[in-house]
Amino acid sequence: MTNFLAAPTGLVTAGTADPATAAAHFRHLLSVETDPADLRTDMEAGRGGFVVLDVRSPEHFAAGHVPGATNLPAREINATTTASLPGDAVLVVYCWGPGCNGADKAALALAELGFRVKKLIGGFWTWRTDRHPVAKGEAA
């Protein structure tokens, strides 16, 4: 076992992946994640092909959410609750933030149901912290 505390130098370069491995890793991340700035850019440009899903509770959704998002709590995702979602769209899911794995659970459930899915990096916390617009109120 490496004692990282005993060797304060070289931690950044230790175990560095070769460029091809790193490229494959980051290509994969970009295929399953997006960030608030990219999401907002696509929303403001009117680009279609995606649906934003807030996978938090209805109460948290009502208190504030990404404009245009649909509320579908992660625990309620199943074949019945997703039947009306477009099968050809990318579903962008988010929960509270970096300390919450609700978006990961939702993304897994949706992928297992056959949907293409991306997680919003940083969740609603990063969306709000980055000063993107916030909508309030219950789901339609």
Side-chain angles (χ1 to χ4, degrees):
M1 183 169 145
T2 303
N3 182 348
F4 289 108
L5 296 176
T9 59
L11 297 176
V12 172
T13 58
T16 304
D18 65 87
T21 300
H25 170 76
F26 292 111
R27 188 175 300 107
H28 171 72
L29 282 180
L30 291 170
S31 76
V32 296
E33 295 179 341
T34 191
D35 70 8
D38 289 346
L39 177 59
R40 183 174 179 183
T41 296
D42 281 356
M43 291 170 74
E44 289 179 347
R47 292 186 183 103
F50 64 92
V51 173
V52 181
L53 295 178
D54 183 318
V55 299
R56 301 173 301 152
S57 71
E59 297 79 19
H60 291 137
F61 179 85
H65 56 270
V66 172
T70 298
N71 185 224
L72 179 58
R75 294 174 193 233
E76 297 177 14
I77 294 173
N78 59 49
T80 302
T81 61
T82 61
S84 64
L85 294 174
D88 60 344
V90 173
L91 305 181
V92 178
V93 299
Y94 70 89
C95 60
W96 271 111
C100 173
N101 69 358
D104 297 288
K105 292 175 182 177
L108 173 60
L110 291 163
E112 288 177 339
L113 288 168
F115 291 97
R116 293 183 307 146
V117 63
K118 285 192 173 195
K119 179 177 80 169
L120 182 63
I121 299 169
F124 185 66
W125 182 85
T126 301
W127 178 269
R128 189 181 58 217
T129 301
D130 288 352
R131 300 177 189 238
H132 298 294
V134 173
K136 294 188 178 191
E138 296 181 16

